[in-house]
Amino acid sequence: MDFKQLEYFVRTAELGSFTRASVELDVAQSALSRQVRQLEIELGRSLLIRNGRGVAPTEAGKRLLEHGRGILYQVARTREEIQAAGDALAGRVAVGLPPSFSKTLTVPLTRACRERLPQAALSITEGLSSALREALAIGRLDVALLYNPAPSPDIDSIPLLEEDFYFVTRRTGRPARRRIALRELALEPLVIPTRPNTIRLLVESALADHGLRPRIALEIDSVAAILDLVADGAGGAVLSIHSVMHGRHGARPSRAAARAALPYEAIPIVQPRLRSKLAMAVSAQRPATPTQQAVAGIIRDMVARLPGARLP
């Protein structure tokens, strides 16, 4: 497989048009089309569906697009690292953060990297743990924070902290419950992410240990949307305190007045507590560069200083 062919295919699939890709890549459209066709012949699969409106990837093309992005990123990163050898820490570092920590860490992490690693280029992707883990495995991310990562030959992970999960419900003006037992959680309609989201699996596993199943009201994969639906009365949710305090209606945890003004309230889950581990993960298949190691160290220090952080 030729890297140039792979780059031509990725850009064409992303832009949805040979015409737009030829302009972006500064190459004749006929040459671009020919190179993509040669790639299809080599792989023995149609990669793009050609129609009057442009092109769209086939199922095989979607798979190659995901892997191709990671391959091209790794090639670019390798080139940058070699060119910067012997100089100050430089190169690209792609970081993945779960929604519950994205708003907390993005600004201070970006600021710290600018100050300590001025020649490094940082990119941050927000996503659920399952998506971040896949992106890490195929090379699109270098460092990611994941909840409860399963043992895998593809990634190495280090636990950073443990978090308690809360039952988040609409604020009604009446006195809130001080706590909710895990068994009682099975009676509540939940707005919850789809499988294989970590929170979803954690709730289902914990309830299954008691012979119970969750009562699913809605399946939503956005923390901000879940909080909006809870505030609208669609059901309750199971989230960490960081998700609650930094959601769409969030406020700083240190400001009690602002916290009381939130349209929902977080009730501790007990008997037993519902607890999750946050880990820092890197690829086990690719060696971490000095720049990646430096960024990972900054993230680790920031997470350790978060309010309420509990080391595992």
Side-chain angles (χ1 to χ4, degrees), residues 82-95:
I82 292 174
Q83 292 173 345
D87 299 332
L89 293 177
R92 300 169 184 256
V93 181
V95 175

Side-chain angles (χ1 to χ4, degrees), residues 155-302:
I155 64 170
D156 290 328
S157 61
I158 303 173
L160 297 183
L161 59 79
E162 290 183 341
E163 280 192 299
D164 286 329
F165 279 78
Y166 292 74
F167 176 59
V168 184
T169 186
R170 181 183 186 183
R171 189 179 295 277
T172 62
R174 297 189 296 271
R177 285 181 285 186
R178 297 176 61 89
R179 61 186 62 86
I180 181 172
L182 183 64
R183 286 182 173 274
E184 295 177 286
L185 191 65
L187 304 176
E188 301 288 344
L190 296 180
V191 182
I192 197 167
T194 57
R195 300 189 190 94
N197 175 264
T198 302
I199 296 175
R200 174 69 173 267
L201 297 179
L202 182 68
V203 170
E204 289 183 336
S205 177
L207 289 178
D209 288 341
H210 293 77
L212 301 170
R213 292 187 299 177
R215 181 183 167 194
I216 308 299
L218 289 169
E219 294 182 313
I220 305 291
D221 283 333
S222 164
V223 172
I226 287 174
L227 289 172
D228 283 343
L229 288 165
V230 169
D232 196 52
V238 176
L239 296 169
S240 70
I241 198 64
H242 286 285
S243 298
V244 176
M245 298 310 300
H246 295 277
R248 181 163 294 173
H249 302 284
R252 295 180 182 177
S254 58
R255 297 183 178 180
R259 185 172 179 176
L262 294 176
Y264 33 73
E265 50 199 4
I267 303 169
I269 300 171
V270 297
Q271 299 175 347
R273 290 188 175 276
L274 206 56
R275 186 168 290 171
S276 182
K277 289 184 179 180
L278 181 76
M280 177 182 292
V282 298
S283 172
Q285 309 298 325
R286 301 180 300 276
T289 67
T291 309
Q292 291 172 16
Q293 294 173 4
V295 172
I298 293 172
I299 296 173
R300 185 167 52 247
D301 292 342
M302 287 184 171

